[in-house]
Amino acid sequence: MSDRSEPDYQFVIIGAGVCGLYQLHRLLGLGAKVTVLEMNGGVGGTWFRNRYPGCRFDSESYTYAYSFSPELLAEWDWSERFAAQPETLRYLNHVADKFGLREHIQFDTTVVAAHWEEEHLQWRVRTDDGREITTRFLMTAMGLLSVPTTPRLPGLETFGGRAFHTFDWPEDLDVSGKRVAVVGTGSTGVQVISTIAEQVARLTVFQLDANWCAPLHNGPISAEEMAQIKDSYDEIFQRCFDSPNGFIHRPDRRRSTDVTREERLAWWEELYDSPGFGIWLGNFRDTLMDETANAELSEFIASKIRERVQDPAVAEILIPKDHGFGTKRVPLETGYYEVYNRQNVELVDLNVTPIQQVTPTGIRTAGGECARDFDFDVIVFATGFDAVTGAFDRIDFVGENGVRLRDKWADGPDTYLGVQTTAFPNLLTLVGPQSGSVAANFPRGIEDIVNWMIVFVSYLLEHDIVRVAATREAELAWLDHVMEINDRVLMSKVKSWFNGHNRNLDRDERPRAMIYTGGAVRYRRLLAEEAARGYSSFAMTRVS
């Protein structure tokens, strides 16, 4: 090194959400010099920003809690089986205050660039207010779904009412008595639609892609039940630990063909009437891997939609025709299908009558004789996010030899274990493409990676490692493994954000390896094997 001066920090973490808070807590426990850069005005990440009506967990609340502190578990009471956003945000603020994390976080600080300086073996981070911060190791804990995308519709700027993405829901907005359009019927759209339908004067839902939804079956948690949950936390977290996705629901070891059709239907009825993701993640183990098994399950769910929606024509529009149940992320709903039985709700199929333009008073659809003009006071875009890699693309990451991360990942991300990408030394990814937390119950997934990462960085500090980078051979081998594992499941064969698909972005339709479907148990084993090998897949440089 030509310059032995120390950087401002040993560690800088980008993001103060669920992951960033836990990583900060663990690094402070090492006595490390660390700061967190957070673009929002408070902690919480996803739960700080998403404040739309109906926003809540689809994980059981008590499985979403951090497991690292028995004291924290003992003192926090959840009020609902699936907590709403305000309660979750209160929880994360409680965590930040309890463990003294807030003083180590720089709020309202957006990272715009991070450049690797090989001569100093450090990252130089630039923020939106013009400041520069240097750090030996840069950690990313940015939200998987934190870069919203909206349709590129002509005339949007002319609309005289209020139009926004759900990510930017105005805090002062009351939709009562208003004419509202919701564009999009993914998880967020389903929650918004179900919540506001009875409040608005008229609700028009514009659907392009139908999604398979399942009942949430939410309910309050009594003081007695909460006490039982606290007594059972060890068992609850062990069950999540042993589950492929970190949820309390585990796949049935039986195949669907191991039982009779009558037994299959009875089991599906039980799952459909149970809270949470059981119908998706607790089903027969072949329903997400075998097309025949999945088709039968899909028809069962379709029959439920037909039962719940009074108009047969509307029911058919709500039943997906392009993918089977569970091959995309399943929205959990409360009374969603019954919304379409209301007199003030209309469903518009954009495959038949696409949006032509936004007008000063609303939306105009095309479709020949079916073309219409709609008048609205509010247009809500529930149109998803530039998932997983979007948060990385908006930052100018420049690694060794001037390589830009957005260029390296232009045709799809490649990483090693989801924690590093070659040509970007000392950049440690906690939440990102091909990591274990993307397709998991998030807190369970991030505790896995942070627990591994804290041992990893302890090794680096103890051995005076100032530069660490995954080898290209390890990266290519991991990419092959991810693709091979993902190819075993049906979700790899459909267009969704799991595969990098987003029609609102200018990129080709080739699938990208955004997630790792090998499961938490396998992922932890692979992390442990890397540690047992002495981190041989990483090239390391010691202090000279």
Side-chain angles (χ1 to χ4, degrees):
M1 291 184 294
S2 59
D3 187 345
R4 296 293 184 91
S5 63
E6 289 298 310
D8 299 327
Y9 295 95
Q10 290 174 294
F11 299 92
V12 166
I13 302 169
I14 305 176
V18 176
C19 182
L21 290 177
Y22 183 46
Q23 183 66 77
L24 172 61
H25 173 66
R26 295 300 306 274
L27 286 172
L28 291 174
L30 291 182
K33 189 177 182 182
V34 56
T35 191
V36 178
L37 306 180
E38 169 54 52
M39 66 184 295
N40 293 315
V43 303
T46 290
W47 300 108
F48 180 91
R49 192 60 185 267
N50 285 281
R51 304 189 181 204
Y52 60 84
C55 182
R56 67 173 63 248
F57 284 150
D58 51 18
S59 311
E60 282 77 2
S61 303
Y62 46 85
T63 73
Y64 201 91
Y66 292 112
S67 69
F68 68 86
S69 168
E71 185 177 310
L72 175 63
L73 290 168
E75 69 188 17
W76 186 266
D77 293 336
W78 294 101
S79 67
E80 293 183 276
R81 184 176 293 276
F82 301 93
Q85 179 270 337
E87 183 172 2
T88 308
L89 186 58
R90 287 196 301 272
Y91 171 74
L92 293 173
N93 274 283
H94 175 74
V95 171
D97 292 334
K98 179 178 178 63
F99 297 101
L101 305 181
R102 203 178 299 275
E103 62 190 270
H104 301 281
I105 304 171
Q106 302 181 46
F107 294 108
D108 296 311
T109 300
T110 300
V111 175
V112 296
H115 292 190
W116 172 248
E117 297 179 341
E118 184 70 34
E119 66 274 23
H120 305 308
L121 297 179
Q122 67 183 18
W123 282 94
R124 184 171 296 275
V125 180
R126 190 169 75 250
T127 62
D128 59 342
D129 58 5
R131 291 184 297 131
E132 291 188 343
I133 300 167
T134 57
T135 181
R136 180 75 70 210
F137 300 99
L138 181 59
M139 294 178 156
T140 59
M142 302 174 296
L144 300 169
L145 303 173
S146 60
V147 180
T149 59
T150 56
R152 289 161 290 186
L153 299 174
L156 183 57
E157 71 285 353
T158 71
F159 180 58
R162 304 184 75 168
F164 49 85
H165 193 281
T166 52
F167 192 68
D168 299 308
W169 191 281
E171 291 190 39
D172 64 342
L173 178 62
D174 181 1
V175 297
S176 299
K178 298 188 184 302
R179 301 165 299 173
V180 178
V182 175
V183 182
T185 54
S187 295
T188 298
V190 166
Q191 290 182 328
V192 170
I193 291 163
S194 303
T195 304
I196 69 171
E198 64 181 10
Q199 304 169 11
V200 302
R202 193 178 77 233
L203 174 62
T204 306
V205 177
F206 293 88
Q207 174 186 279
L208 183 59
D209 298 318
N211 277 286
W212 298 102
C213 305
L216 179 66
H217 294 302
N218 192 24
I221 297 178
S222 67
E224 181 178 276
E225 184 181 1
M226 193 66 232
Q228 293 173 345
I229 289 170
K230 289 179 180 180
D231 288 341
S232 305
Y233 266 131
D234 287 346
E235 178 184 341
I236 289 169
F237 288 129
Q238 186 61 51
R239 185 174 177 86
C240 292
F241 189 82
D242 295 336
S243 166
N245 300 97
F247 288 90
I248 203 166
H249 310 282
R250 292 183 293 189
D252 194 312
R253 294 183 178 182
R254 300 171 297 173
R255 293 182 178 273
S256 59
T257 51
D258 291 340
V259 300
T260 66
R261 174 170 170 77
E262 289 72 22
E263 289 171 322
R264 283 197 296 276
L265 293 176
W267 177 228
W268 289 340
E269 288 285 355
E270 181 178 338
L271 292 175
Y272 194 80
D273 291 337
S274 301
F277 276 136
I279 188 69
W280 183 27
L281 302 177
N283 218 310
F284 297 110
R285 63 191 180 98
D286 59 341
T287 54
L288 299 181
M289 303 176 70
D290 180 81
E291 290 185 358
T292 300
N294 182 263
E296 187 178 13
L297 173 61
S298 299
E299 182 52 37
F300 170 82
I301 303 296
S303 71
K304 291 296 184 183
I305 298 173
R306 295 186 183 106
E307 289 175 9
R308 295 172 59 183
V309 179
Q310 294 170 0
D311 187 330
V314 173
E316 291 308 310
I317 296 172
L318 292 167
I319 296 172
K321 308 300 191 297
D322 61 344
H323 68 284
F325 179 81
T327 60
K328 292 184 181 181
R329 201 180 197 286
V330 176
L332 294 182
E333 48 82 20
T334 301
Y336 173 66
Y337 292 110
E338 286 74 14
V339 161
Y340 297 98
N341 299 331
R342 297 179 60 91
Q343 293 299 311
N344 68 327
V345 176
E346 179 179 0
L347 178 64
V348 176
D349 185 354
L350 293 180
N351 295 290
V352 178
T353 56
I355 294 176
Q356 186 178 71
Q357 68 179 87
V358 177
T359 69
T361 59
I363 289 175
R364 177 174 298 148
T365 59
E369 295 181 358
C370 297
R372 289 174 60 187
D373 279 299
F374 296 84
D375 290 336
F376 297 114
D377 303 303
V378 177
I379 300 175
V380 179
F381 293 106
T383 47
F385 298 84
D386 185 359
V388 187
T389 56
F392 292 86
D393 290 344
R394 68 182 176 185
I395 297 174
D396 184 34
F397 284 105
V398 179
E400 59 186 14
N401 301 318
V403 175
R404 279 185 159 75
L405 186 61
R406 67 171 65 102
D407 294 334
K408 185 174 189 292
W409 285 358
D411 295 327
D414 44 10
T415 75
Y416 176 57
L417 290 173
V419 302
Q420 253 206 332
T421 186
T422 57
F424 292 84
N426 293 15
L427 179 64
L428 304 174
T429 300
L430 303 167
V431 180
Q434 303 164 9
S435 66
S437 60
V438 181
N441 183 10
F442 193 64
R444 306 282 66 78
I446 66 96
E447 283 191 344
D448 284 344
I449 190 58
V450 170
N451 291 342
W452 181 87
M453 187 67 72
I454 206 68
V455 176
F456 181 48
V457 299
S458 296
Y459 177 92
L460 301 180
L461 296 176
E462 290 166 7
H463 292 80
D464 295 322
I465 304 298
V466 290
R467 187 185 193 278
V468 59
T471 66
R472 180 59 174 164
E473 293 77 15
E475 185 175 71
L476 290 173
W478 177 248
L479 182 61
D480 286 344
H481 172 68
V482 170
M483 297 292 283
E484 190 271 330
I485 288 289
N486 289 1
D487 194 52
R488 298 178 186 177
V489 295
L490 295 175
M491 65 175 57
S492 68
K493 299 171 174 58
V494 303
K495 292 181 178 180
S496 75
W497 67 263
F498 281 170
N499 302 315
H501 175 71
N502 189 318
R503 59 169 49 87
N504 297 316
L505 299 174
D506 289 319
R507 62 187 182 205
D508 60 55
E509 294 295 301
R510 286 177 296 175
R512 289 164 164 77
M514 293 293 196
I515 67 171
Y516 176 60
T517 62
V521 177
R522 180 187 280 112
Y523 184 68
R524 279 195 304 271
R525 185 182 73 241
L526 295 171
L527 289 173
E529 289 173 357
E530 179 60 45
R533 293 194 300 268
Y535 308 107
S536 60
S537 299
F538 297 88
M540 299 184 183
T541 302
R542 288 178 169 80
V543 174
S544 59

